[in-house]
Structure formats: structure tokens, C-alpha cells
Amino acid sequence: MSLFEGLKREFSDPSPEYRPQPFWFLNHDYKKEELEWQLEEMKRQGIGGVVLHSRHGKSAEYMSREYLDMLAFCTEECKKRDMVVWLYDEDNWPSGTFGGKLTRRHPEYRMRYLRLEERRHEGAETVQLDFRDEENNELIAILAYRVLREEGERVVLAKEPYEITHLRSQGWAPPQSGKYVILACWECEIAEKVTFGAGYYLDTMNPEAVQAFVNVGYEPFLELREHFGRTIRGVFTDEPGLMIHDGFFGTEAIRTSVRTLNDNLPGYVLGWTRDMLSRFEAEEGYSLRPLLGALLYELDDSSHTVREHYYGALTRWYVDAYHGTLSRWCETRGLAYIGHTLEEPLWGQARSQGNQTRVLQQFHYPGVDYLTKGIGTKENPYRILSVKCASSVARLEGKRRVVCEAFVRRVPQNRFPANRVLPCSALGSLSKLRRLYRPTVHARQPGRIRIENPAVVADPHRIPGDVPGRKGLQEPACGRIVLLPLGQVDSQPAGFRIC
């Protein structure tokens, strides 16, 4: 068969891997006749496969015998229909907590973060160091930096701080008159209820914590190993991060008291992990503790290097511990590791992911989230960057696909679309796909579950599957180079990075 004939045949009837593959929300009773009916309807409309997505509303416990039997049944039914399957590694999202159960059972695996609480002082008078105690906030240090100069918003501090941790709850008299920035540096445990499962998030920079997640969230999939690399193509991980957030208010939303989410604590929050100071010193050869002020301000002669080392360490530990571990687990079993993180805007990306390029390199198919209304407009330009970043990594690393979570919209509860579709297609065509693909379906299930019903569509022309499948055959043109200014982002003091 000639190349032209092959393309013509593929265009007429695209292979499953090019077609949309919905997040199939497994959110009710697992009746075999219902599951078969929904799969048959999806197949009839040209859908190429499904992501078996555990979702709130299901009747069986996540990873229970009944749940695993349902996964096996759905996989067999997809095999009969020449549809592909992607496993989903979490109960709801974000990935990493086993529905919140893992981090409830193991406090040592909970995410940590750094909270820098600041006070300004001027003169030589005594200042009270009456910083408030908070549950699960451990004091690292209280440091007083002398202000050397101020130039508008630019503040330069002396490199060597006064170590005044021992004077906590007492008074400190500066040795000389002047302006000072006093920082109380706290290691904090993530609050409960920040994830969908109302749990604590995982310390994704802790290899032991990630391995514990693999043991409960990945190893049970081995029951399906006979389908690995065939019907089951891989595993999807959803919105992990070295700093987690709720998707709406940014990473600052985690700066809460442990008991009351609406009780915002003072200060800036930055990435941290258990044993951070000792790990950092072992790798970088110097102590981070007296230089914590460099994360917020310029320190005389040293702050750029400190910040670059700090963000470099966070990225390295996160990529190796979380994405590296999961990618290797998949690859050694003939599976692709796919998914997406929290990609936008650039400042938020740098804080929640570190170096996004390094993260995407771990995926066999780099992925993005493309759900927000008005993406690529003057009012909302951000998502274009994440799309370019994913497609660039795919090109530079020789990866075959880029995947995208897309096609969401809000509708009345009695009608709703195929909420989230994972098309293995060229991202350059997504703006067109969003206009073309608007299927809706009547809810078949009662109550809350109606809002997120499995994605079954009704279209006599197979537009939901065929059109995106044909778009996926196209190779996007690449006529421009976009430089990602991550080095500049990492060199900036956090005070300029946080809104």
C-alpha cells in the first residue's frame, strides 16, 4: 500500500489512537448491561477508547474487589470493540493520595511547605518577636536582615542575618539603628481538605511517600497485566505538583490553618519537603537556613545563586521522586505514562511544577489541560504557553503524541456534554476542534451524578469521533521559536512572583 493510500484509508476511518478517548466517569452502580450499553454507544459514535476514571458517586469502594472486577470487565468489553483503555491512578483528583486515605494513615507522607512571615522594623528600639503559634507549623528560624538599600520596589538586604530564633516571644534590640526585615520561617504541614477527597496532599518530593502511593495506587493494576501494551495503553496521572493548589485560587490557597481553611495565615508560601535543609546542604554544599531571606529579597552578592539552587533542587526532587518513579513503573510494564499537571500562568507553573520542561520529559506523551473558556484570547492568553511547551517537548524528545484534556462546558443538569475528552491529536488544531465538537447527552442517572455522567453521545454522522480523529492525523506547522524564560523566573525574588 502506498503512503497516499495509507493516509487516505486512515483519513476515512482513523485508528482508535487518533480518536477522542473520554474520561469515562465511573460514578454509579457497575451493572454490566449498563456498562456494555454505554461502551457500544461510544463505539457507534466513533470514540476510540476510554479513560477509566474513578469518580464521586460510585457505589463500590475504590480499588475494592468489585471495583477491580469492573475494570477487568470494561477492559474486556473494550477489547471486543477494538477500543483502547487508559487507567486512571487516583480516586477523583489530584493524583497521589489514594482518595485521601494514604495521607490520613501516614502523616509523614503529607506535603510540607515553607511559610515566610515578615515584619519590618526601623530604628534601634526593641521589637517584640511575638509570632503566633499554629498547629503543625514548626519554626525553622527567625532571621533579621539589615536593609542595605531600597530602590523603589527593589530591596537589597545584607547577606548575613542576625540569628534571633532563641529570642522567640521575647524582644530583640538591633545592634545598630537602621531598617530591618525580620522573617519567621515556618515548616508547615498541608491542611486537610485541600484535595477533592478532602484529604492531605502527598509530599511528591519524598521518594518514600511516592513509593507508598505506587504500592496502593498502581500495583493493584497488575491484575490486568495480560492487557498491558495491547488494549490497556497506559496510565493517566492528574494534576500533581510539588506545591498543590485547588485550581482556582493558586498555591496561596494552601496558606491556611490546619483546622479552618478560611483562616489564612500571614506570609508567603513556597515549596518545601521533609528534611529539606539537610538534603539541600548535602547536594549544594552550603546551608540554606541563613539564606532563606534570598527567596523573598535580594541578598547582597548571593541571592540569584541561592534561588537558582533552591528551585533547581525542588524540580529535581519532584521530577525524580514522582514522575520518574511512575514513568519507570509504566515503562517496565509496556505502558505509556501520560497525564497533565497545572500549567498556567508561568509564575504559577514555576511554583507548582518547577521546570515544566523537565516534568513533561518524563511523560511518554506530554499532556496539557485545555478546558478554560476563552483560551488564547487577549483576556485569557495563558494556555497557549502550556500547549507550546508540551508540543515542543514532544518534538525535541521525539515523542509520538501530545495529549490534551479538553472539550468541557457547563449545561443544565438534565443535559450535559462528553465532559472531558483526551484526544491524541495535533494540538495546533484544538481551537477548531472546540468549535466543531459540541455533543450533548441526556442524563440516565439520578441526583448529583447527573452532572458528571459517562460520556455517551448521540450523533448519526459520527462527528464526535471521526472529525477529531482526522484532525489528529495532521502534523502541525512549526514556524516560530518561543523561548521559555524559566531561568529569569527562578532568579526573581518570590515577592515579585506572588500576586
Side-chain angles (χ1 to χ4, degrees):
M1 183 185 299
S2 68
L3 176 62
F4 176 77
E5 288 298 322
L7 288 174
K8 181 180 178 181
R9 182 176 177 178
E10 193 70 67
F11 189 84
S12 175
D13 185 18
S15 301
E17 65 183 31
Y18 292 109
R19 294 176 176 275
Q21 294 153 31
F23 276 3
W24 190 16
F25 296 145
L26 301 166
N27 56 3
H28 203 247
D29 296 329
Y30 302 142
K31 296 179 180 178
K32 291 184 177 180
E33 59 271 21
E34 176 70 16
L35 297 173
E36 287 182 89
W37 179 85
Q38 292 186 13
L39 281 171
E40 189 59 36
E41 284 298 295
M42 284 189 273
K43 176 65 176 180
R44 189 168 63 86
Q45 300 306 319
I47 299 301
V50 292
V51 181
L52 299 178
H53 192 325
S54 175
R55 201 73 167 188
H56 48 277
K58 60 187 176 298
S59 58
E61 184 177 354
Y62 181 60
M63 287 298 186
S64 64
R65 181 72 268 154
E66 181 181 357
Y67 182 85
L68 290 170
D69 287 345
M70 177 274 299
L71 294 184
F73 176 78
C74 290
T75 301
E76 288 288 351
E77 292 301 312
C78 285
K79 179 181 178 181
K80 293 177 185 177
R81 294 167 175 80
D82 192 29
M83 298 171 70
V84 303
V85 169
W86 298 92
L87 301 172
Y88 187 86
D89 69 0
E90 185 54 76
D91 187 11
N92 290 299
W93 77 95
S95 295
T97 72
F98 197 66
K101 294 178 181 178
L102 176 62
T103 45
R104 287 195 190 97
R105 296 170 186 162
H106 295 277
E108 69 274 20
Y109 296 156
R110 295 171 187 169
M111 175 171 279
R112 322 295 292 179
Y113 65 92
L114 173 67
R115 181 167 64 88
L116 298 172
E117 187 176 352
E118 174 190 320
R119 291 188 184 176
R120 296 289 185 98
H121 180 68
E122 184 171 359
E125 296 80 12
T126 298
V127 57
Q128 293 300 312
L129 305 178
D130 51 351
F131 295 98
R132 190 176 75 180
D133 283 321
E134 295 290 342
E135 186 177 0
N136 292 344
N137 281 222
E138 179 182 346
L139 184 64
I140 300 170
I142 301 178
L143 307 171
Y145 295 87
R146 191 166 186 270
V147 177
L148 298 182
R149 56 187 179 275
E150 294 180 273
E151 302 168 3
E153 293 185 352
R154 183 169 179 257
V155 179
V156 180
L157 308 180
K159 179 180 178 181
E160 301 293 337
Y162 295 97
E163 165 60 78
I164 55 176
T165 310
H166 63 287
L167 296 175
R168 180 186 177 188
S169 301
Q170 303 177 42
W172 174 66
Q176 58 181 305
S177 182
K179 294 182 178 181
Y180 293 88
V181 171
I182 302 172
L183 295 178
C185 311
W186 306 87
E187 178 178 325
C188 308
E189 180 182 290
I190 194 78
E192 193 176 14
K193 301 181 181 177
V194 296
T195 70
F196 195 95
Y200 306 89
Y201 193 59
L202 186 76
D203 184 350
T204 54
M205 293 180 278
N206 181 342
E208 183 181 335
V210 176
Q211 186 57 52
F213 171 58
V214 169
N215 293 343
V216 295
Y218 275 65
E219 292 295 321
F221 290 147
L222 292 176
E223 291 191 14
L224 306 170
R225 63 166 61 88
E226 65 180 284
H227 301 287
F228 286 3
R230 299 179 179 87
T231 302
I232 297 177
R233 299 297 177 87
V235 184
F236 189 104
T237 198
D238 204 2
E239 299 190 356
L242 62 88
M243 287 185 73
I244 198 63
H245 61 75
D246 60 8
F248 297 97
F249 303 108
T251 50
E252 292 302 294
I254 70 174
R255 189 191 65 222
T256 66
S257 67
V258 172
R259 301 296 179 187
T260 308
L261 290 180
N262 293 327
D263 182 14
N264 282 349
L265 303 181
Y268 297 117
V269 295
L270 295 168
W272 203 255
T273 185
R274 189 175 292 275
D275 301 323
M276 172 85 185
L277 292 178
S278 58
R279 291 178 69 180
F280 184 91
E281 185 167 2
E283 294 190 15
E284 302 298 341
Y286 64 91
S287 174
L288 178 63
R289 188 173 183 271
L291 299 170
L292 288 171
L295 304 181
L296 284 185
Y297 292 97
E298 289 190 45
L299 298 190
D300 196 32
D301 297 331
S302 65
S303 54
H304 287 191
T305 299
V306 172
R307 285 191 292 272
E308 289 170 0
H309 288 171
Y310 166 80
Y311 288 110
L314 295 186
T315 294
R316 187 166 60 251
W317 298 338
Y318 166 56
V319 169
D320 290 347
Y322 188 87
H323 294 287
T325 297
L326 302 189
S327 181
R328 288 188 294 271
W329 190 95
C330 290
E331 186 167 345
T332 57
R333 292 161 178 82
L335 299 173
Y337 175 60
I338 68 170
H340 85 94
T341 63
L342 292 160
E343 299 102 7
E344 297 284 358
L346 178 60
W347 301 114
Q349 178 195 105
R351 297 186 69 215
S352 70
Q353 303 301 318
N355 187 326
Q356 179 72 349
T357 300
R358 296 283 183 260
V359 171
L360 292 174
Q361 286 172 336
Q362 300 301 311
F363 289 105
H364 294 96
Y365 302 161
V368 296
D369 186 331
Y370 201 81
L371 298 178
T372 307
K373 181 180 179 181
I375 289 173
T377 63
K378 182 178 180 181
E379 294 74 24
N380 184 16
Y382 299 114
R383 298 283 180 170
I384 295 301
L385 173 62
S386 58
V387 169
K388 289 296 294 181
C389 189
S391 60
S392 295
V393 169
R395 284 178 174 275
L396 293 170
E397 298 291 320
K399 298 178 184 293
R400 296 176 55 245
R401 293 280 182 275
V402 174
V403 299
C404 178
E405 184 177 340
F407 304 145
V408 69
R409 68 169 177 166
R410 303 295 182 190
V411 292
Q413 288 193 18
N414 66 325
R415 294 179 67 81
F416 53 90
N419 289 51
R420 296 179 180 180
V421 177
L422 179 70
C424 297
S425 58
L427 290 178
S429 302
L430 282 180
S431 60
K432 296 178 182 177
L433 296 183
R434 290 175 65 85
R435 291 195 293 271
L436 288 169
Y437 187 39
R438 293 297 189 191
T440 60
V441 60
H442 289 281
R444 295 171 55 85
Q445 300 168 347
R448 174 186 181 188
I449 300 162
R450 296 171 66 181
I451 299 174
E452 294 191 320
N453 199 63
V456 179
V457 297
D459 190 298
H461 305 294
R462 290 169 56 96
I463 288 177
D466 285 359
V467 173
R470 291 169 184 144
K471 290 289 183 182
L473 290 167
Q474 299 177 13
E475 179 72 15
C478 184
R480 291 180 176 85
I481 295 176
V482 179
L483 299 179
L484 187 64
L486 193 61
Q488 184 177 358
V489 172
D490 286 351
S491 69
Q492 292 296 313
F496 292 98
R497 298 159 54 125
I498 305 171
C499 298

